[in-house]
Amino acid sequence: MKKVVILYTFLVSCTALAQTSDTWTAFWNKDTTKIGFQDKKGVIKIEPKFTGFTIARKFENIIAVTEEENNKWKSYYLTKEGKIVGRDSLYTFDNSTDCESEGFIRFRDSKTDKMGIFNSKGKIVIPADYSALSNVKNGVLTVLKDAKKEREPGDEHFFWSGGKEFLIDINNKVLIENFAYNDNLNFYSLEKSKEPNKDPIRENFKGVDGQYYSFINFEKEFKFWLENNLLKDLSKGNLEKHSFDKITYWKEPDGWINSSKTKFINQNYTYLKLKLQELKNPKTDYFVSSDGLNQFIFESSEYEIYFNNCNEAKDWLYPTMDIVINPKNKTDRGQDHFEFLRTENGYKLISVSTRQHNLK
């Protein structure tokens, strides 16, 4: 049956804004204690004054900042126009603040301890009615309402208990009830139909409107791709076709090293083919782990599109899939890793580390 891709008109305007606006970049003062922002021509737009939880490295529309004034800390959200909103309402997680996503940023009401969302102009578009919510992806987000914070005795970290989960749009309209958060779903693959989508790499959810919303599952997508695109043809040419331009590999005692894919595959082809062939054997002990690109390893300019304005991996669109192969002998230590990055041109081999083999 005909599939209808759901498109959100606000995305068009947000994309146009990003394309026409001058994104500012962060820079340090002389003693690297405070951060300011400058435009692409190097003109200073904000003198260095931010510190602490100011993690944004690019200023597109709205950022979270902290600064010290008269030995007191101030925290707030700042728009490109200089508007200050959400004083003392920064959303923090793992000692990090939120980063703009599609022109929206999360905040936590310090009085009610509930979360909401500001748009790029600092206007509240999702009121602080939720216990927790995700960042915006393709104009939708998952939310948790009326849950309670609980802690195990002696544990400083909390977990949520109870509550109801929904998928909503940026207009705060409920699309799907009982929608459990799942970071394996590609929200940019969202399709809507009258009947469940039969594509085996998709997951279906019935919406409150009676229609079915389906999303590609990254892990299912990767395993299908692996079996049908890579493992069926382990020739040098096909392996190179499905590799990133540069492959990063671990070599003792040097650590992580970069090499062109052609050179790396030519020098290590016998080993690569042998290990990847093992994946065809049902007795091979391996698993696939999903994550995001490591910003401390992949630092050069060609990786920039895979990180957001705060230099965090955009794993909701470009996840990494790490094939981890355990040794045949259970008494042996170490594992072999083949890491693939999801790109606009499919999955690409981007890094390799081995248990015993000395890569060249």
Side-chain angles (χ1 to χ4, degrees):
M1 76 179 303
K2 185 178 180 181
K3 300 175 183 176
V4 181
V5 179
I6 301 178
L7 299 177
Y8 290 86
T9 56
F10 84 89
L11 282 177
V12 177
S13 61
C14 282
T15 301
L17 177 63
Q19 290 173 342
T20 57
S21 65
D22 175 19
T23 300
W24 302 344
T25 56
F27 70 97
W28 292 99
N29 60 359
K30 291 183 178 180
D31 61 0
T32 64
T33 57
K34 295 181 180 180
I35 292 173
F37 288 88
Q38 60 189 6
D39 67 15
K40 60 184 179 182
K41 295 180 180 179
V43 177
I44 295 176
K45 295 297 183 177
I46 303 176
E47 293 286 348
K49 64 176 183 176
F50 303 123
T51 186
F53 281 125
T54 310
I55 66 170
R57 292 298 171 259
K58 294 181 182 178
F59 193 164
E60 197 168 346
N61 297 293
I62 186 169
I63 59 174
V65 298
T66 58
E67 59 175 307
E68 186 179 9
E69 189 176 84
N70 298 324
N71 295 321
K72 292 183 179 180
W73 288 98
K74 298 194 302 182
S75 65
Y76 53 89
Y77 293 89
L78 180 67
T79 70
K80 203 73 165 292
E81 295 76 23
K83 183 179 179 181
I84 293 176
V85 296
R87 292 183 184 274
D88 300 322
S89 297
L90 298 189
Y91 165 66
T92 60
F93 181 77
D94 278 350
N95 292 318
S96 180
T97 52
D98 200 28
C99 197
E100 175 185 347
S101 178
E102 297 180 7
F104 302 94
I105 198 165
R106 295 173 287 183
F107 72 93
R108 181 175 292 282
D109 188 312
S110 57
K111 295 180 180 179
T112 64
D113 198 27
K114 292 186 177 181
M115 293 181 64
I117 286 184
F118 289 119
N119 68 8
S120 62
K121 302 300 181 182
K123 179 181 177 181
I124 294 176
V125 290
I126 302 291
D129 293 335
Y130 299 100
S131 305
L133 43 78
S134 72
N135 59 344
V136 178
K137 307 180 186 81
N138 195 23
V140 298
L141 57 153
T142 55
V143 298
L144 175 65
K145 193 169 187 178
D146 299 328
K148 293 183 178 180
K149 280 183 179 180
E150 295 190 14
R151 287 183 172 84
E152 295 290 349
D155 191 346
E156 62 179 13
H157 299 97
F158 70 88
F159 62 92
W160 292 110
S161 175
K164 295 181 179 180
E165 295 174 290
F166 306 93
L167 181 74
I168 67 172
D169 65 19
I170 201 59
N171 296 312
N172 205 24
K173 177 184 177 182
V174 174
L175 301 177
I176 304 172
E177 295 180 330
N178 301 315
F179 187 87
Y181 178 78
N182 185 340
D183 58 9
N184 255 330
L185 297 182
N186 179 0
F187 288 91
Y188 294 88
S189 69
L190 173 56
E191 292 184 358
K192 186 178 177 183
S193 56
K194 292 182 179 180
E195 300 294 335
N197 193 307
K198 295 182 180 180
D199 189 332
I201 67 172
R202 285 183 168 271
E203 294 189 21
N204 290 274
F205 304 86
K206 192 170 185 178
V208 296
D209 58 1
Q211 302 285 300
Y212 285 89
Y213 295 71
S214 72
F215 309 87
I216 289 175
N217 180 295
F218 286 127
E219 189 170 324
K220 291 180 180 179
E221 176 188 55
F222 174 72
K223 289 180 178 179
F224 182 87
W225 171 86
L226 180 67
E227 181 178 344
N228 293 279
N229 291 274
L230 186 63
L231 297 185
K232 281 188 175 181
D233 179 7
L234 288 173
S235 64
K236 280 187 181 181
N238 197 48
L239 187 54
E240 186 172 331
K241 174 184 175 182
H242 296 297
S243 295
F244 203 78
D245 288 341
K246 287 198 308 190
I247 294 182
T248 302
Y249 63 100
W250 181 265
K251 184 177 182 179
E252 295 288 356
D254 305 310
W256 291 107
I257 296 176
N258 292 322
S259 175
S260 72
K261 63 180 181 181
T262 301
K263 178 181 178 182
F264 180 81
I265 291 171
N266 282 334
Q267 292 184 332
N268 299 281
Y269 177 66
T270 301
Y271 166 77
L272 296 173
K273 182 179 179 180
L274 180 66
K275 294 305 295 184
L276 290 172
Q277 278 180 331
E278 289 184 15
L279 302 178
K280 298 181 181 181
N281 187 340
K283 294 183 179 180
T284 299
D285 182 14
Y286 79 95
F287 62 92
V288 175
S289 175
S290 176
D291 206 341
L293 204 60
N294 189 321
Q295 68 268 47
F296 301 110
I297 297 175
F298 303 95
E299 299 179 300
S300 51
S301 59
E302 64 262 52
Y303 308 112
E304 193 171 310
I305 64 170
Y306 304 107
F307 298 97
N308 66 7
N309 292 344
C310 299
N311 202 35
E312 299 165 327
K314 295 164 71 171
D315 54 2
W316 56 89
L317 190 54
Y318 306 115
T320 56
M321 295 291 171
D322 188 13
I323 299 175
V324 184
I325 306 173
N326 292 313
K328 294 179 181 179
N329 189 336
K330 300 301 181 182
T331 60
D332 290 344
R333 289 190 171 188
Q335 299 166 313
D336 295 301
H337 293 256
F338 289 80
E339 186 177 34
F340 294 81
L341 172 68
R342 188 181 190 273
T343 73
E344 295 296 339
N345 297 310
Y347 287 95
K348 302 290 184 180
L349 177 66
I350 196 167
S351 76
V352 180
S353 61
T354 66
R355 180 172 58 89
Q356 290 180 326
H357 185 81
N358 188 26
L359 296 168
K360 302 175 184 177

